[in-house]
Amino acid sequence: MMPQPRPWPYAIEFDQVERIDCDVLVVGGGAAGCMAASGAAESGARVVVLEKAATVASGASGSGSDHWESAATNPCSKITPEELTDAMIRAHDGFNNGISHYIETREGWDRLLDIEAARGKIRDTDDDFAGAPFRDEKTKLLFAYDYDNRFNIRVWGQTFKHAQLRSAKRKGVKFVERTMATALLTEGGRHGARVIGAMAINGRTGKCVVIRAKATVLCTSRPTRIWLFIPGAPGISEFRPPQCTGDAHAMSWRIGAEFTMLEKAIKAEWSGNRSFPPYGAGNNHNSWYACTMVDAEGREVPWLDRDGSELATVDERYRPAPGQKFFLKGGGEPDIPVYEFQGPETLSVDDLMARGYKLPLYADLSKMPEAERRVIWGVMIGNEGKTKIPIMKNYTDRGFDPSKHRLQSYGDGWKSGAFLPQERQFFGLPGGLMNDWTLMTNVEGLFAAGDALFASNCYGHACATGHYAGRHAAAYASRVGDVTLHEPQVEAERSKLYAPLRQAKGVSWHELNFAITRLMQHHCGAFKTDQLLMRGLDALAAMERDDASRLTGQNPHDLIRIHETRNILTTAQIVLHSCLARKAGSKALHFTRLDSPDIDPPEWNKFVTVRDSGSGVAVGEKPLDYYGNLPDNYERHNRDYIDRRSKT
Amino acid sequence: MSEPVMAVPDPMVFTPIIIDDDLCIGCNLCVLVCQADLFLPHPEKGGAPTVFYGGECWYEGSCVDHCPVPGAITLNTQLFNRVHWEESTPS
């Protein structure tokens, strides 16, 4: 039943301004943001986190995570950070963030230990899996995917956000919750100048918050709702929270920050009415790796190694192929596997049909060894971000028993979704902010971490880059003097916060968001041309001028949604500019042009960057290996950290 | 702003969350943790919150996970997302 309109239940503070001073401002309190705050506070900085929701359960992993990837320095790993980062880069034809993933492989294990120290659970301390092939008996760590090489760790991620928040608070970090950052403030109010703080608004009271900071770290994940949006249910089956609306992307674009790889958007995998909830239908990937699949008549689907040889046992699904040192992730990860690092996978649906298998397929945990069944259903599905309640609890309540039942698979193979080619999504290392070796952007004083960075993913990456950006932001803040806000800029931004309240009649954020996604599907779908992209930009500009200016709302909650939708519009514009700037197709970037038949011509094997110069869009480029020698540069920029860790 | 500030609900196509008013103790933990801030607290202390902006739900279930009273709040799977399972066949 629809609730009735009612008086707003919280005190209204539209006329109030709170001023906060700090050394390091962290925007977003998810996995990356909490760790950035801790990293900065450990360096002695006064730290403030702006969080749009409540930190304990906020962000893409606020409700959990089931495994931690690429912890190459854990005591059981047989792969070095250099080997693993090199594999990740080559598996994406060079279109990857060498800096951030080297940080992930080199420091991820350190961050897991930090989380454990704050009572996050990373080991099988109750010996529930004693003797299992994925367990190391000495450390009690449980591993996923490649059981020989042991660099991906199964974790009880439901405990992590609590631990991270506890740890940051203990270090003196101040959390300003239910408060959304809406604009970055710059020295002298100038475009492209040093960032010295941010504007924000409280989503319950409407109070304006003005933060003065010597350094700022952006940790607001990757945007959703660019191509896909269902009014009335934008969060259904979405992997990332629909409140991740590219707030950092939009704010930093408006002051001149540089982006790369935003031309990469893959055909959608999970969203809305096109797919089932993530990991909620029968499949054999990620959380469910490497579950036995069967056809309608109970015939087991063959698993193959990279050479096409059929695997005789379940255990072989977790081992490298003959002659292969290690594999990255089994089950067709990444989307375009590279032979050298390709893991085991089941036969494709087409091949299965040709061999007489009958649809539908099912995931059959009852046919897995008991320990594998319990670790998939209990640890993985019990801890992944969107599975503990909607899948494990709700299915169990309805009678599902993994030792007796098989779960149906739908649609496009394991993904259990069937999307149209124009329905795109940021998934599988999408673009984002460009970074240097301190994770600073091209704008002085502005850092980024986690999924705000280009080519990023996963909890371990978020935490590792978060801590790294936090401590480098703190080091930067310690070198610069006091900053002075440009009050006309503060006033101008404050006025924008409340403009929708003055619109008696206008456009709802739902309607505008829906219109943006329709526009993006038509102008920036599977196939690009300059004419289409430019038409899209014109249409977005008209929408910004004529419709976004008429967004209307009544209360602080509405204002948050309205400012989010404006950010979605801006992010859509960045995407179109990014697509326009790349003039040839790219397999690794899932980027196809109808007006240029070339795929991956050598001259386009480079990062293309875009930024708002203040007088137009500036296109730039960087070589794919712009980060140089990974260990040398890492050690040059992190001598203090290395020395400190070696002492402890 | 002289006009009273009102809360006006989103269009809600589905029913993402069901609160059992008899079981709910009005602790407001669900109101506290919800990423979408879709609940509004009851005007009186101890009363059950209202699912007000239900259309903004992410369906991850933090509200259920944090609720201290089993069964007081339920994450409701939409009919079109009901996944089928059946008895497995013998090996």
Side-chain angles (χ1 to χ4, degrees):
Chain A
M1 196 175 71
M2 278 282 286
Q4 295 302 305
R6 62 176 65 178
W8 188 246
Y10 305 105
I12 287 293
E13 299 177 323
F14 290 144
D15 56 351
Q16 293 192 31
V17 179
E18 181 182 0
R19 299 256 177 177
I20 299 173
D21 276 358
C22 61
D23 297 320
V24 175
L25 168 66
V26 178
V27 180
C34 281
M35 206 52 97
S38 279
E42 286 163 21
S43 304
R46 296 171 302 143
V47 185
V48 168
V49 175
L50 276 178
E51 167 54 56
K52 195 155 63 171
T55 312
V56 70
S58 71
S61 51
S63 48
S65 174
D66 64 353
H67 73 286
W68 185 288
E69 291 188 10
S70 308
T73 58
N74 88 76
C76 304
S77 172
K78 293 182 185 161
I79 303 300
T80 65
E82 290 75 28
E83 285 176 302
L84 194 49
T85 312
D86 175 63
M88 286 193 271
I89 292 168
R90 286 200 281 139
H92 292 271
D93 289 351
F95 288 99
N96 207 339
N97 193 328
I99 295 172
S100 72
H101 289 290
Y102 188 68
I103 294 166
E104 175 189 18
T105 59
R106 183 111 180 200
E107 297 188 12
W109 174 244
D110 297 350
R111 302 291 77 80
L112 258 182
L113 293 179
D114 290 347
I115 288 171
E116 185 180 39
R119 306 207 303 274
K121 184 170 164 67
I122 71 166
R123 298 172 208 264
D124 178 29
T125 45
D126 298 326
D127 296 328
D128 288 336
F129 296 96
F134 47 82
R135 186 180 194 258
D136 177 66
E137 298 302 322
K138 188 174 170 199
T139 60
K140 305 191 178 194
L141 293 170
L142 306 184
F143 296 97
Y145 305 113
D146 185 335
Y147 290 174
D148 280 356
N149 291 292
R150 303 191 160 197
F151 50 86
N152 293 313
I153 303 175
R154 302 184 203 253
V155 294
W156 288 258
Q158 291 277 331
T159 63
F160 280 17
K161 224 33 220 311
H162 295 266
Q164 286 190 264
L165 178 59
R166 199 179 293 129
S167 175
K169 281 188 169 171
R170 206 179 290 148
K171 291 171 186 135
V173 173
K174 177 184 168 74
F175 286 84
V176 181
E177 299 193 322
R178 296 291 172 199
T179 302
M180 174 188 177
T182 55
L184 294 169
L185 299 171
T186 55
E187 205 159 38
R190 293 189 305 277
H191 185 92
R194 179 159 72 115
V195 169
I196 54 171
M199 300 289 292
I201 183 169
N202 185 297
R204 289 186 173 171
T205 69
K207 179 172 66 178
C208 171
V209 181
V210 182
I211 300 107
R212 192 173 67 135
K214 293 175 183 171
T216 298
V217 188
L218 300 176
C219 304
T220 60
S221 196
R222 64 179 69 155
T224 59
R225 293 160 47 187
I226 307 289
W227 286 268
L228 298 160
F229 180 77
I230 305 178
I236 271 189
S237 302
E238 273 286 352
F239 193 59
R240 290 290 200 282
Q243 295 80 40
C244 290
T245 47
D247 299 341
H249 288 56
M251 284 191 302
S252 61
W253 171 262
R254 292 179 193 126
I255 58 121
E258 187 176 58
F259 290 79
T260 193
M261 272 177 58
L262 276 175
E263 65 271 33
K264 178 183 178 184
I266 67 171
K267 192 168 108 172
E269 297 190 348
W270 279 312
S271 186
N273 61 356
R274 297 266 190 227
S275 75
F276 285 87
Y279 309 119
N283 73 97
N284 60 336
H285 283 224
N286 291 301
S287 302
W288 287 78
Y289 188 84
C291 184
T292 295
M293 303 292 287
V294 297
D295 80 349
E297 295 171 356
R299 191 174 162 199
E300 287 200 20
V301 170
W303 279 81
L304 310 177
D305 70 12
R306 62 176 180 166
D307 297 308
S309 303
E310 199 165 317
L311 304 179
T313 66
V314 170
D315 189 69
E316 287 173 286
R317 300 171 195 169
Y318 299 99
R319 311 288 175 182
Q324 183 180 36
K325 185 168 185 187
F326 67 101
F327 65 88
L328 278 175
K329 265 174 96 169
E333 294 273 336
D335 286 337
I336 307 166
V338 170
Y339 178 76
E340 191 176 347
F341 312 112
Q342 186 177 348
E345 171 62 304
T346 45
L347 270 182
S348 71
V349 173
D350 287 348
D351 287 340
L352 289 172
M353 296 305 97
R355 290 197 194 184
Y357 284 79
K358 308 291 185 203
L359 291 175
L361 302 178
Y362 297 83
D364 196 343
L365 281 169
S366 77
K367 295 202 166 35
M368 292 292 279
E370 189 261 349
E372 301 287 357
R373 175 166 64 245
R374 279 195 297 120
V375 83
I376 289 175
W377 184 252
V379 177
M380 306 294 272
I381 301 301
N383 281 279
E384 175 61 346
K386 279 192 77 174
T387 52
K388 181 183 178 184
I389 302 299
I391 312 301
M392 196 161 95
K393 181 182 186 307
N394 283 6
Y395 288 18
T396 303
D397 288 351
R398 285 173 53 207
F400 179 75
D401 180 344
S403 69
K404 292 180 183 161
H405 295 127
R406 58 186 196 179
L407 191 64
Q408 188 174 338
S409 178
Y410 300 82
D412 185 11
W414 70 274
K415 290 166 187 165
S416 282
F419 286 83
L420 301 173
Q422 68 268 31
E423 294 174 332
R424 315 304 285 181
Q425 201 165 40
F426 289 135
F427 219 79
L429 306 185
L433 282 153
M434 192 62 171
N435 57 276
D436 69 9
W437 262 106
T438 65
L439 296 186
M440 202 195 294
T441 67
N442 64 309
V443 180
E444 198 184 334
L446 186 65
F447 298 76
D451 277 4
L453 292 165
F454 80 94
S456 57
N457 64 348
C458 293
Y459 208 113
H461 179 274
C463 289
T465 56
H467 190 276
Y468 188 103
R471 63 177 199 262
H472 282 280
Y476 171 84
S478 72
R479 293 194 301 270
V480 298
D482 273 344
V483 293
T484 305
L485 296 181
H486 184 65
E487 291 303 326
Q489 187 182 31
V490 171
E491 270 316 301
E493 293 296 341
R494 182 164 176 251
S495 175
K496 287 182 201 166
L497 292 180
Y498 305 109
L501 298 171
R502 296 189 283 271
Q503 290 285 347
K505 289 181 183 173
V507 178
S508 81
W509 66 267
H510 301 87
E511 184 171 355
L512 184 68
N513 200 157
F514 203 21
I516 294 167
T517 56
R518 171 69 64 86
L519 190 154
M520 288 298 282
Q521 287 192 19
H522 280 292
H523 299 87
C524 193
F527 304 104
K528 279 85 174 177
T529 71
D530 274 357
Q531 275 178 314
L532 256 183
L533 294 165
M534 286 191 281
R535 178 77 271 284
L537 276 170
D538 287 347
L540 279 177
M543 208 175 260
E544 184 175 26
R545 184 186 62 235
D546 302 333
D547 305 309
S549 58
R550 293 189 300 122
L551 282 163
T552 178
Q554 303 206 24
N555 57 55
H557 184 95
D558 293 345
L559 289 180
I560 296 288
R561 296 289 169 263
I562 285 168
H563 292 302
E564 286 177 342
T565 308
R566 285 194 166 136
N567 289 343
I568 287 168
L569 197 155
T570 300
T571 304
Q573 290 170 323
I574 312 173
V575 171
L576 288 172
H577 285 302
S578 301
C579 292
L580 264 177
R582 182 170 287 280
K583 300 296 185 193
S586 163
K587 193 174 151 202
L589 297 176
H590 298 244
F591 186 77
T592 307
R593 270 186 171 270
L594 290 179
D595 53 3
S596 167
D598 290 348
I599 297 287
D600 293 318
E603 66 272 24
W604 285 95
N605 281 336
K606 60 190 176 187
F607 292 116
V608 175
T609 63
V610 293
R611 68 182 169 87
D612 181 349
S613 70
S615 57
V617 173
V619 175
E621 61 182 62
K622 278 193 165 62
L624 292 181
D625 60 353
Y626 80 94
Y627 36 78
N629 182 288
L630 294 172
D632 287 356
N633 278 319
Y634 172 85
E635 285 162 24
R636 192 158 60 84
H637 285 91
N638 295 281
R639 202 67 262 165
D640 289 357
Y641 178 78
I642 294 166
D643 292 345
R644 204 162 60 240
R645 296 298 296 189
S646 65
K647 283 177 195 152
T648 56
Chain B
M1 310 278 163
S2 54
E3 304 261 321
V5 174
M6 299 294 286
V8 180
D10 270 355
M12 198 161 77
V13 181
F14 305 108
T15 306
I17 295 155
I18 298 166
I19 297 177
D20 185 326
D21 288 358
D22 294 331
L23 290 176
C24 177
I25 58 172
C27 69
N28 284 333
L29 269 177
C30 54
V31 183
L32 176 80
V33 300
C34 177
Q35 276 214 50
D37 212 9
L38 60 79
F39 300 94
L40 289 188
H42 196 279
E44 291 168 22
K45 196 175 177 187
T50 303
V51 179
F52 202 80
Y53 297 104
E56 297 169 17
C57 185
W58 184 36
Y59 297 84
E60 96 286 13
S62 289
C63 50
V64 179
D65 202 23
H66 285 78
C67 180
V69 183
I73 186 164
T74 306
L75 184 69
N76 184 41
T77 306
Q78 310 72 52
L79 292 178
F80 73 83
N81 266 339
R82 293 262 172 95
V83 174
H84 170 74
W85 61 77
E86 61 194 38
E87 291 280 327
S88 184
T89 54
S91 293

